[in-house]
């Protein structure tokens, strides 16, 4: 009897303990639900994102030309050397071509001969023509033959005159003159060297002239940044040989097309090099200000999550979450440009997480 009584007391105590634990768990669950943190959100808005990047460019003379010989000849005299400053029209070198002198004499003799022949046939035709005015004195056929002979000799005379002028023009190429104001950058021949338009003497230019008072800086801008630059935009750059010094110039030309290999647009910056500090061939580091022409949606980096399906932000509609696919643009510090099916004043989660499923209630 006593043993059964103890069993009953034990069962009652166990039941009371389990009931108490269940109530405590329910109270604890309620307490946790009440203390769950609120999800932070923000309102999507547009702004202009500004950044900078460094990109290399090459400085060259505003005008630069390599001078070759037009005719096969020998260098008779060099009037300049490397570093010489020259002006437009200044004599740089004198070439010698004995064959041209012989050709000129031959052309001149032929010209005189054709001139004499044409003068004789013209005189004959003129006399026949005057005589033919008296009816019956000159047959019409003889007059036509004399006129045809005169015209043929005139054509030969004009051809001889052109040949003579051509040789004379070639002789003019024996004097090489500067095409513009500049500096002699290279000289590849010496006095007595053979030069010409073909063959061994044409392998290298006689000399190279560069305009250094004004320079051009060429930069290849990658496709994704080409749209940020406009004509006449001032840019700043530095060169390694002059540390601590900054130079400026304006965008003077844009190619308006992308290079098929590099997928970049070539821009050129004009530089006034009045102090001659910069030299053609220098490599410059150009600072490109990348300011959006139009406002774009900008969000904190934490508001975007990326998975195997792509990049997403999480918007709140009617107190429930919904994922929106986006494309990321430029990233600056803790801000990122995003593009997609977005609207101003859209409510987004400040901290997006892949674990937050669509339709999750948000307070």
């Amino acid at each position: 009897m006593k043993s059964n009584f103890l069993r009953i007391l034990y069962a009652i105590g166990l039941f009371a303990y389990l009931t108490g634990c269940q109530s405590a768990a329910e109270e604890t669950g309620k307490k946790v639900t009440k203390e769950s943190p609120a999800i932070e959100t923000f309102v999507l808005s547009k702004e202009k994102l500004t950044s900078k990047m460094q990109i290399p460019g090459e400085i060259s003379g505003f005008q630069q030309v390599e001078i070759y010989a037009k005719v096969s000849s020998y260098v008779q005299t060099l009037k300049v050397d490397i570093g010489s400053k020259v002006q437009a029209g200044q004599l740089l070198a004198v070439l010698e071509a004995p064959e041209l002198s012989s050709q000129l004499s031959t052309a001149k003799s032929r010209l005189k001969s054709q001139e004499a022949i044409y003068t004789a046939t013209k005189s004959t035709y003129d006399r026949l023509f005057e005589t033919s005015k008296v009816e019956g004195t000159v047959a019409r056929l003889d007059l036509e033959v004399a006129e045809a002979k005169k015209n043929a000799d005139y054509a030969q005379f004009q051809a001889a005159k052109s040949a003579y002028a051509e040789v004379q023009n070639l002789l003019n190429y024996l004097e090489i003159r500067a095409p513009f104001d500049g500096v002699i950058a290279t000289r590849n021949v010496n006095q007595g060297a053979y030069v010409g338009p073909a063959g061994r003497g044409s392998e290298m230019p006689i000399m190279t002239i560069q305009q250094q008072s004004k320079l051009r800086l060429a930069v290849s801008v990658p496709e994704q940044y080409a749209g940020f630059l406009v004509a006449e935009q001032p840019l700043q750059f530095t060169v390694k040989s002059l540390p601590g010094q900054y130079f400026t110039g304006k965008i003077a030309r844009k190619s308006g097309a992308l290079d098929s290999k590099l997928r970049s647009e070539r821009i050129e910056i004009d530089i006034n090099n009045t102090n001659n500090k910069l030299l053609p061939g220098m490599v410059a580091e150009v600072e490109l200000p990348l300011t959006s022409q139009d406002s774009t949606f900008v969000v904190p980096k934490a508001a975007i999550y990326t998975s195997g399906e792509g990049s997403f932000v999480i918007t709140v509609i009617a107190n429930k979450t919904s994922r929106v696919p986006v494309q990321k643009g430029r990233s600056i510090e803790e801000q990122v440009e995003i593009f997609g099916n977005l609207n101003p004043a859209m409510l987004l989660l400040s901290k997006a997480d892949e674990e937050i499923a669509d339709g999750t209630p948000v307070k």
Side-chain angles (χ1 to χ4, degrees):
M1 179 70 75
K2 186 176 180 180
S3 173
N4 290 334
F5 179 74
L6 291 174
R7 289 193 188 97
I8 293 171
L9 287 178
Y10 178 77
I12 293 171
L14 180 60
F15 178 78
Y17 174 76
L18 292 175
T19 302
C21 290
Q22 182 177 359
S23 299
E26 291 177 355
E27 290 296 324
T28 303
K30 292 179 181 179
K31 185 176 181 181
V32 170
T33 302
K34 289 180 181 179
E35 295 180 357
S36 60
I39 297 179
E40 183 180 353
T41 61
F42 68 96
V43 178
L44 182 63
S45 61
K46 285 187 173 183
E47 61 180 273
K48 289 187 177 181
L49 199 61
T50 301
S51 63
K52 296 180 180 179
M53 70 173 297
Q54 300 286 336
I55 192 167
E58 183 180 1
I59 297 175
S60 62
F62 189 77
Q63 295 184 85
Q64 177 173 317
V65 63
E66 295 179 339
I67 296 179
Y68 290 84
K70 175 70 174 178
V71 295
S72 298
S73 54
Y74 294 90
V75 179
Q76 184 180 35
T77 307
L78 283 173
K79 302 289 186 178
V80 293
D81 208 332
I82 294 177
S84 299
K85 294 182 179 181
V86 297
Q87 295 180 342
Q90 179 177 335
L91 184 62
L92 306 179
V94 177
L95 307 180
E96 182 181 13
E99 297 85 354
L100 281 182
S101 300
S102 176
Q103 292 177 18
L104 183 65
S105 299
T106 303
K108 188 175 181 180
S109 298
R110 184 171 181 273
L111 175 61
K112 293 296 184 182
S113 174
Q114 291 298 327
E115 184 180 11
I117 294 173
Y118 169 67
T119 301
T121 54
K122 183 177 182 302
S123 178
T124 300
Y125 170 76
D126 290 342
R127 287 196 303 271
L128 287 175
F129 180 76
E130 289 297 328
T131 306
S132 67
K133 291 180 180 180
V134 179
E135 188 175 353
T137 56
V138 177
R140 184 170 183 81
L141 178 61
D142 293 339
L143 185 63
E144 290 177 353
V145 171
E147 183 179 10
K149 177 63 174 173
K150 181 200 71 168
N151 292 337
D153 290 342
Y154 178 75
Q156 292 293 327
F157 172 56
Q158 293 299 322
K161 186 185 291 185
S162 298
Y164 179 71
E166 182 181 358
V167 178
Q168 276 191 321
N169 290 334
L170 289 177
L171 284 175
N172 293 334
Y173 287 112
L174 296 179
E175 290 187 351
I176 297 177
R177 299 183 180 274
F180 51 80
D181 295 350
V183 177
I184 305 299
T186 62
R187 177 184 61 81
N188 300 312
V189 298
N190 293 309
Q191 186 171 342
Y194 169 77
V195 292
R200 187 175 182 82
S202 64
E203 295 174 352
M204 300 182 68
I206 296 175
M207 60 187 69
T208 303
I209 302 177
Q210 293 177 341
Q211 182 183 359
Q212 297 184 2
S213 59
K214 188 176 182 180
L215 305 174
R216 66 175 74 204
L217 172 57
V219 184
S220 295
V221 181
E223 177 182 358
Q224 58 182 333
Y225 304 121
F228 294 102
L229 303 175
V230 295
E232 298 298 322
Q233 181 177 350
L235 296 179
Q236 192 176 65
F237 64 93
T238 59
V239 292
K240 293 182 179 180
S241 58
L242 299 171
Q245 297 189 40
Y246 293 87
F247 304 89
T248 58
K250 290 183 178 181
I251 297 177
R253 288 163 294 278
K254 297 181 67 179
S255 66
L258 298 182
D259 180 85
S260 59
K261 295 181 179 180
L262 301 177
R263 295 298 170 189
S264 59
E265 182 182 15
R266 180 185 174 95
I267 65 171
E268 290 187 347
I269 304 165
D270 287 351
I271 307 166
N272 291 320
N273 190 35
T274 53
N275 52 13
N276 293 325
K277 286 186 176 181
L278 300 173
L279 299 176
M282 285 184 171
V283 176
E285 287 290 331
V286 185
E287 185 178 272
L288 300 182
L290 306 178
T291 303
S292 303
Q293 302 297 322
D294 300 317
S295 298
T296 55
F297 291 111
V298 180
V299 299
K301 286 184 177 180
I304 306 174
Y305 79 86
T306 302
S307 65
E309 300 176 354
S311 299
F312 299 88
V313 295
I314 300 177
T315 182
V316 178
I317 303 175
N319 293 332
K320 291 186 178 181
T321 60
S322 176
R323 297 189 304 172
V324 178
V326 296
Q327 291 181 343
K328 293 191 289 185
R330 289 178 298 156
S331 176
I332 302 174
E333 297 179 352
E334 294 301 320
Q335 292 184 310
V336 183
E337 284 181 325
I338 59 172
F339 304 91
N341 187 17
L342 305 169
N343 298 310
M346 183 180 283
L347 200 62
L348 300 182
L349 298 190
S350 297
K351 294 184 178 180
D353 193 334
E354 188 176 1
E355 300 298 327
I356 302 176
D358 286 349
T360 302
V362 175
K363 292 184 179 180

